[in-house]
Amino acid sequence: MRYVAAYLLATLGGNEKPSADAIKQILGSVGIDVDDDRLNKVISELAGKSVEEVMAAGTAKLASVPSGGASAGGAAASGGDAPVEEAKKEEVKEESEEESDDDMGFDLFG
């Protein structure tokens, strides 16, 4: 995902066909190490395509992906309590991680 994001940043900056070096420079500026194999895969997949076309195709694919809580409700309605219990455990775990972030001792905006 970081390689795609860097590619998009480069195109937003006016570079219509970013090179591997341009993407490495963007990622290096924020301290991210680059895996050349993954970077070359992203560049080869996006070669000859406009960013707008790729985003439009991705949006069309996402339109077919179901979203919302219908699947969790269906599992609970069918009498399967295990998925609901697992979801509750995950929620508790997520809350404890958020609480630990609050206790770091600094305020981002204050």
Side-chain angles (χ1 to χ4, degrees):
M1 191 61 139
R2 65 185 79 175
Y3 304 107
V4 175
Y7 189 94
L8 290 173
L9 282 172
T11 57
L12 285 172
N15 186 352
E16 292 182 20
K17 296 181 182 178
S19 65
D21 290 333
I23 294 173
K24 285 181 183 180
Q25 185 176 9
I26 291 170
L27 294 173
S29 70
V30 292
I32 296 176
D33 294 327
V34 175
D35 179 1
D36 288 329
D37 292 336
R38 290 183 180 184
L39 175 58
N40 291 332
K41 176 71 173 167
V42 169
I43 290 174
S44 68
E45 290 292 324
L46 295 173
K49 300 176 184 174
S50 74
V51 174
E52 292 81 14
E53 290 173 359
V54 173
M55 291 176 71
T59 302
K61 288 179 182 179
L62 284 176
S64 66
V65 175
S67 61
S71 63
S78 66
D81 291 334
V84 175
E85 290 175 5
E86 289 176 16
K88 288 181 183 178
K89 289 179 185 177
E90 289 177 14
E91 289 176 16
V92 171
K93 183 178 178 182
E94 288 178 21
E95 289 175 11
S96 65
E97 290 178 276
E98 290 176 3
E99 290 173 2
S100 68
D101 289 343
D102 292 339
D103 297 335
M104 290 178 62
F106 68 91
D107 183 14
L108 182 63
F109 299 106

